[in-house]
Amino acid sequence: YQTFDGDLKWDHNDVTYRILNYSPDLDASITDDAFARAFQVWSDVTPLSFTRLYEGTADIMISFGKKNHGDPYPFDGKDGLLAHAYPPGEGMQGDAHFDDDEYWTLGTGPVIKTYYGNAEGAMCKFPFRFEGKSYSTCTTEGREDGLPWCATTADFGKDGKYGFCPSELLFTYDGNSDGQPCVFPFVFDGQTYSSCTTEGRNDGYRWCATTANFDKDKKYGFCPNRDTAVIGGNSEGEPCQFPFTFLGKTYTSCTSEGRSDGKLWCATTSSYDKDNKWGFCADKGYSLFLVAAHEFGHALGLDHSNIQDALMYPMYKYVADFSLNEDDIEGIQYLYGPNRGPKPTPPKPSTTTSSPVSTAKPTKPTPSTTPSVYTPVEPSVDPCQVDKFDVITEIQGELHFFKDGYYWKSSSNKERKGPFMVSERWPTLPVKLDTAFEDPVTKKIYFFADTQFWVFTGQDVLGPRRIEKLGLPGTLKKVEGALQRGNSKVLLFSGEEYWRLDLKTQQMDKGYPRHIDMTFGGVPMDAHDVFLYKGHFYFCRNIYYWRMTSRRQVDRVGYVYELLNCP
Amino acid sequence: WCHPVKSKFLTFPGDLIKNMTDKQLAEDYLKRFGYMQVLDKSGLQATVSTSKALKRLQNQLGLEETGKLDQPTIDAMKKPRCGVPDVRN
């Protein structure tokens, strides 16, 4: 490994990052998750922690751009340079830039997340069968509204599971229209447009107006790439037009004809011969997670390595089940030292060393069943000393206390149990959680972290999805508490307000948000945990809780550690 | 068997054909990623010979250090990669 001259590094461990814009290739929640996992690669082996900011200046400012993108090092179109980043320091130092002339995926081809429909945001399943035909891209077949859709299982006729594919007719991203879809035709600069355009911009991004007249309303958004969008060429982002003619022949799928490099391309109008409009077809693409993990290595102070299997090796290489190479770990720990906390990743079952000294008795549960017993790991944190838990909630009749990737269980007059690894029982959850609750009827468990949420049914998980999916405002930073009300409603708390979610429709009830003090007089307005336990409402602030009866009277103020049966 | 159709190769408008010769590609690559410049003893930047620069690149990429622009080296230069220089001056 190499570090930068003078061992440039951050002089603090709580590093902040901010995502300035998104690529049209991936759903924002997938980009968010890829970056979060890329940071976790480094926080798993160092004392570093990474907090996402949504405004202002963060240590690591992340952005996508093309060719000349605002610094002295232009990108070079498709392939070649994928991204770059600057070593730690002020201003542009520490920032990471990704070339948006690349096709960003998770390394194995199109990642098409669906919207609406009945598949709750699941990914498209290609190929899928519909009315006797096989489809390997989204289709508008079977619909009159021209909205591209896909099945999320291999056979739509059998399962009936479907969702809508990213398209400018469904939503836009960034811009100033809160995701509203395009309005076609729209007027811009006196011209009429019936599709997305790059006119008026010098960064090559496709955009549209979200009202009929941009000149008057100035409302716009960026167009997400459809799954059939071309990459590069002279029509970046435009969907392939099938069939199209080329050199007098008709093509109904991508072809490498006419090219000596064998790359697949298509025309974006019905006649290449007439219009010469074309682009490359979607390939496996580059894993945003892997490239980001590499670039964040630079942003933390690592230079390139000459170990071919190291993450910090300069060339891109797709790896399915990624783990850091010893060389990367030595390099980053040379700068920041090891992770003093407990090992974050549960030991792999095949390499279990059941030595008497092993602090953790790792017995990984068989993934197919939801084991009833989880193995406590070496207590590194005394829960009785914790002054602020990430989450407190009742699950299967026991209070669960979550903190930094661990949880403890406690119920009245029973011995406290734990700590347990969150990742062992609920894999894919981030370390930092904000709140959770159990659906009293379905027993599904909802977890919230930042602007995302996960729904677990046993160990099956749906998510992460954006909390906007539930009808919460896009400006909400996090959900801090949850109170189940009856069998199908749950109150979700954030700041000084709360909303009511209908669990059946998965949508917010009308007439919300409401102010906490209008309904729950006498409890702190800045409670960071709100939960229901044995019919009482608990509002926590640091080590204290306020308990309220169902008649909304505060009948007790106590210490959270009492609930943990601490001595 | 019919005679294979001779594929007709076109130049596509807007195609970033990097129609550089391998030699031009190598010179551009060695310069961009910091292999041509070195700091000499007195800290001044000096330009090294292409052969010496190639050897440094081959060492960095774990290739056989021939100092020649051989095929494995050309192939390595065409692979997608990070834009941060390998040799910092």
Side-chain angles (χ1 to χ4, degrees):
Chain A
Y1 66 87
Q2 289 184 96
T3 57
F4 292 104
D5 299 353
D7 290 346
L8 288 174
K9 57 178 280 206
W10 296 106
D11 59 4
H12 52 283
N13 283 344
D14 49 345
V15 177
T16 57
Y17 73 95
R18 183 179 165 196
I19 302 170
L20 293 174
N21 68 343
Y22 286 97
S23 165
D25 296 339
L26 284 171
D27 179 82
S29 65
I30 294 174
T31 299
D32 292 346
D33 179 62
F35 286 149
R37 287 186 294 119
F39 279 118
Q40 191 172 353
V41 160
W42 299 110
S43 57
D44 274 354
V45 293
T46 61
L48 293 170
S49 70
F50 298 99
T51 304
R52 182 177 174 182
L53 302 184
Y54 292 82
E55 58 243 329
T57 302
D59 296 320
I60 299 175
M61 302 287 258
I62 301 167
S63 59
F64 290 87
K66 302 179 183 184
K67 300 208 182 63
N68 274 310
H69 56 279
D71 72 7
Y73 305 98
F75 287 131
D76 59 352
K78 186 168 176 2
D79 300 326
L81 303 182
L82 304 181
H84 57 220
Y86 294 82
E90 291 304 310
M92 194 177 280
Q93 298 301 103
D95 293 358
H97 300 163
F98 295 82
D99 182 356
D100 221 350
D101 272 324
E102 308 306 342
Y103 180 44
W104 292 110
T105 65
L106 296 180
T108 58
V111 181
I112 311 295
K113 184 182 158 27
T114 62
Y115 301 80
Y116 311 111
N118 63 3
E120 299 187 333
M123 303 293 176
C124 288
K125 169 75 181 160
F126 293 128
F128 67 88
R129 298 191 62 74
F130 169 58
E131 292 186 343
K133 265 179 77 181
S134 175
Y135 291 86
S136 56
T137 66
C138 298
T139 179
T140 57
E141 289 289 312
R143 300 192 62 83
E144 282 118 34
D145 56 9
L147 283 176
W149 67 278
C150 70
T152 55
T153 66
D155 186 338
F156 177 75
K158 185 160 74 68
D159 306 311
K161 283 287 183 190
Y162 79 102
F164 291 98
C165 299
S167 101
E168 66 284 0
L169 304 177
L170 204 61
F171 65 87
T172 57
Y173 72 93
D174 290 346
N176 62 1
S177 301
D178 274 342
Q180 289 303 305
C182 298
V183 168
F184 296 123
F186 65 87
V187 172
F188 164 59
D189 210 9
Q191 300 283 322
T192 300
Y193 292 84
S194 54
S195 64
C196 299
T197 180
T198 56
E199 283 302 309
R201 300 189 64 85
N202 63 3
D203 59 9
Y205 279 93
R206 296 165 66 239
W207 68 279
C208 69
T210 54
T211 69
N213 188 323
F214 177 81
D215 296 343
K216 187 162 65 68
D217 307 317
K218 300 287 190 264
K219 297 295 271 181
Y220 77 103
F222 290 100
C223 300
N225 279 352
R226 295 189 182 204
D227 65 304
T228 55
V230 297
I231 300 131
N234 58 6
S235 316
E236 163 77 30
E238 296 297 329
C240 286
Q241 172 70 44
F242 294 125
F244 66 87
T245 53
F246 169 59
L247 296 183
K249 276 177 70 180
T250 297
Y251 292 84
T252 57
S253 63
C254 298
T255 179
S256 60
E257 276 301 305
R259 296 192 65 84
S260 56
D261 57 12
K263 287 183 182 177
L264 288 173
W265 67 278
C266 69
T268 53
T269 67
S270 57
S271 165
Y272 175 83
D273 299 333
K274 188 160 68 66
D275 306 311
N276 280 186
K277 299 292 275 177
W278 70 287
F280 293 109
C281 292
D283 48 27
K284 290 225 171 300
Y286 294 110
S287 165
L288 184 61
F289 160 69
L290 287 173
V291 173
H294 174 101
E295 297 309 332
F296 296 163
H298 288 315
L300 295 173
L302 286 183
D303 203 339
H304 280 149
S305 163
N306 64 1
I307 304 290
Q308 295 208 10
D309 288 339
L311 174 65
M312 295 314 291
Y313 188 69
M315 303 331 203
Y316 172 84
K317 178 174 73 176
Y318 176 68
V319 178
D321 52 350
F322 168 78
S323 62
L324 269 185
N325 182 284
E326 269 314 305
D327 180 72
D328 302 307
I329 295 173
E330 277 173 39
I332 201 72
Q333 290 187 346
Y334 166 76
L335 289 171
Y336 297 97
N339 180 344
R340 260 176 285 283
K343 284 270 323 137
T345 42
K348 293 194 172 46
S350 55
T351 56
T352 303
T353 48
S354 55
S355 68
V357 294
S358 74
T359 54
K361 292 177 282 307
T363 49
K364 198 140 172 58
T366 46
S368 55
T369 57
T370 309
S372 56
V373 178
Y374 289 87
T375 317
V377 292
E378 196 55 31
S380 61
V381 175
D382 175 358
C384 300
Q385 306 303 321
V386 170
D387 62 8
K388 180 177 172 183
F389 283 98
D390 296 339
V391 177
I392 305 174
T393 189
E394 181 181 343
I395 295 174
Q396 291 160 8
E398 287 186 296
L399 262 187
H400 286 56
F401 299 77
F402 293 78
K403 179 76 178 174
D404 293 345
Y406 290 90
Y407 69 95
W408 291 262
K409 297 194 286 189
S410 160
S411 38
S412 36
N413 66 37
K414 261 196 206 162
E415 179 61 22
R416 174 180 72 253
K417 288 172 265 179
F420 304 93
M421 301 281 308
V422 172
S423 55
E424 193 180 7
R425 181 168 174 188
W426 297 290
T428 75
L429 279 183
V431 169
K432 211 77 186 131
L433 296 168
D434 294 324
T435 199
F437 70 87
E438 182 180 44
D439 179 325
V441 176
T442 64
K443 300 303 176 198
K444 289 183 179 183
I445 303 174
Y446 290 66
F447 287 96
F448 292 78
D450 285 341
T451 59
Q452 296 183 311
F453 74 102
W454 293 253
V455 183
F456 280 84
T457 309
Q459 279 217 320
D460 292 336
V461 61
L462 194 56
R465 290 182 285 163
R466 295 165 73 77
I467 53 179
E468 291 159 80
K469 286 270 156 288
L470 297 171
L472 287 167
T475 49
L476 213 64
K477 299 286 170 284
K478 58 180 175 178
V479 179
E480 292 161 304
L483 276 181
Q484 296 90 332
R485 305 294 293 126
N487 278 341
S488 66
K489 305 283 186 184
V490 64
L491 305 183
L492 298 178
F493 292 77
S494 182
E496 302 185 356
E497 299 179 308
Y498 70 96
W499 286 255
R500 191 173 70 189
L501 172 67
D502 184 318
L503 288 168
K504 287 202 180 74
T505 64
Q506 294 281 298
Q507 279 303 311
M508 290 303 149
D509 284 343
K510 301 239 177 303
Y512 290 85
R514 292 180 187 166
H515 256 265
I516 292 176
D517 58 359
M518 302 303 283
T519 315
F520 303 94
V523 298
M525 298 299 292
D526 55 351
H528 51 74
D529 280 316
V530 183
F531 61 94
L532 174 71
Y533 182 49
K534 296 195 180 318
H536 284 95
F537 311 148
Y538 287 75
F539 292 79
C540 299
R541 184 172 64 193
N542 299 332
I543 61 171
Y544 302 104
Y545 70 78
W546 282 252
R547 191 178 74 179
M548 182 179 261
T549 66
S550 53
R551 287 191 310 284
R552 305 255 167 76
Q553 273 104 24
V554 175
D555 70 345
R556 180 177 174 74
V557 179
Y559 292 102
V560 170
Y561 56 69
E562 290 166 3
L563 302 171
L564 268 160
N565 303 322
C566 291
Chain B
W1 291 90
C2 63
H3 183 69
V5 174
K6 176 112 186 66
S7 264
K8 198 174 166 187
F9 296 141
L10 302 187
T11 300
F12 287 70
D15 197 2
L16 274 158
I17 294 207
K18 294 154 184 156
N19 50 8
M20 288 191 271
T21 63
D22 288 342
K23 188 168 180 308
Q24 287 166 324
L25 167 81
E27 278 164 7
D28 177 62
Y29 191 100
L30 293 169
K31 205 174 296 151
R32 176 195 290 264
F33 294 109
Y35 292 96
M36 292 302 280
Q37 309 292 323
V38 285
L39 293 181
D40 62 19
K41 301 263 182 311
S42 49
L44 291 177
Q45 283 223 354
T47 301
V48 298
S49 68
T50 305
S51 164
K52 200 172 169 63
L54 277 172
K55 275 197 174 178
R56 296 172 75 201
L57 168 70
Q58 288 158 346
N59 170 277
Q60 166 73 16
L61 300 187
L63 302 170
E64 189 191 350
E65 297 182 35
T66 62
K68 291 186 175 53
L69 188 53
D70 50 35
Q71 199 54 46
T73 306
I74 293 170
D75 294 345
M77 289 180 177
K78 291 179 177 173
K79 284 190 177 162
R81 60 159 290 160
C82 169
V84 171
D86 298 332
V87 180
R88 190 159 306 284
N89 295 303

